[in-house]
Amino acid sequence: MMMFASDEKTINEMLMIIPDENMWAYISTALADTNVLYIAAIVISIFVGSEYSMGTIKNSVSRGYSRSSIYVSKLLFSLIAMFAIVIGYVLGSSIVGGILYGFSAKISAGQIWLMVAAYCVEMIAVCGLYVMIAILLKSTGHAIAFSLIIPMLVSSVLQIVALAYNNNDLVSRVWLFQTLTATQQFCLYGDAYVPFVVGAVYFILSCVIGLLVFRRQELK
């Protein structure tokens, strides 16, 4: 899990929870597990990248559909796939525990819904990033490789920078994948705005860059 950008604190918290009657903490850990995002990266990269190899994007443009509408349609389908994968992962991770221990939480319902909203914003941003990468590279294989390698590489580099400046909060406040793993801490300790701001910035930048590139791409 640490190889896939899950920090040691998150892993230790999950291991301490199992088994425990605090089911929400386990669900939150599953939501913060970036491994599920790599599954989504593969699905999204295959979906968007194959559109280029099969020529379906070119066909859509030639039929008169605007590139903006095509991009939005790919993004919407990718969002549906992203949330289907995440929901399936969380249910698969927690359904047995729910049967054995029932659902319980040590925090209020308001805090739970705040975290759920933060996770949703961040996952939408991650989806936008994966779509942008697939559009930029126009290749399923390359898109999958970059979507898997870039998060780990950037996380490693930023961790080194954080250690150099003795600022452990730096990475989680600037890098989306680390922000996601720290969502629970942000929401519980007065920094709930961070996941929303980081997610919104990444999503907007990804969509703007992806759409600008797509509008100027030569489709073969």
Side-chain angles (χ1 to χ4, degrees), residues 23-72:
M23 276 302 298
W24 165 252
Y26 185 63
I27 292 172
S28 179
T29 302
L31 288 169
D33 184 3
T34 53
N35 291 313
V36 68
L37 300 182
Y38 299 122
I39 300 173
I42 295 172
V43 172
I44 294 171
S45 298
I46 291 174
F47 168 65
V48 179
S50 63
E51 297 280 350
Y52 286 95
S53 61
M54 294 188 298
T56 51
I57 284 188
K58 181 180 179 180
N59 292 339
S60 298
V61 173
S62 64
R63 290 176 182 174
Y65 295 101
S66 69
R67 296 202 178 201
S68 297
S69 63
I70 294 173
Y71 189 92
V72 171

Side-chain angles (χ1 to χ4, degrees), residues 38 41 45 129-130 133-134 142-151 177:
Y38 299 122
S45 298
L129 188 64
Y130 288 154
I133 291 173
H142 292 157
I144 292 174
F146 270 76
S147 296
L148 297 179
I149 294 172
I150 293 299
F177 290 84

Side-chain angles (χ1 to χ4, degrees), residues 131-166:
V131 172
M132 181 198 72
I133 291 173
I135 291 291
L136 292 177
L137 298 179
K138 299 191 297 183
S139 167
T140 299
H142 292 157
I144 292 174
F146 270 76
S147 296
L148 297 179
I149 294 172
I150 293 299
M152 291 184 284
L153 180 62
V154 173
S155 294
S156 299
V157 172
L158 289 178
Q159 288 284 6
I160 295 172
V161 174
L163 288 173
Y165 287 92
N166 195 26

Side-chain angles (χ1 to χ4, degrees), residues 1-11 31-35 37-38 119 122 126 129 150-160 162 167-186 194-195 198-199 202:
M1 289 177 66
M2 293 179 68
M3 289 176 61
F4 287 93
S6 295
D7 57 59
E8 185 177 357
K9 183 177 180 182
T10 300
I11 297 172
L31 288 169
D33 184 3
T34 53
N35 291 313
L37 300 182
Y38 299 122
Y119 283 124
E122 290 165 326
V126 171
L129 188 64
I150 293 299
M152 291 184 284
L153 180 62
V154 173
S155 294
S156 299
V157 172
L158 289 178
Q159 288 284 6
I160 295 172
N167 185 356
N168 294 326
D169 291 335
L170 174 65
V171 180
S172 60
R173 290 177 180 270
V174 299
W175 180 231
L176 176 60
F177 290 84
Q178 291 297 112
T179 304
L180 191 144
T181 63
T183 298
Q184 180 166 277
Q185 285 72 31
F186 284 131
V194 174
V198 172
Y202 273 87

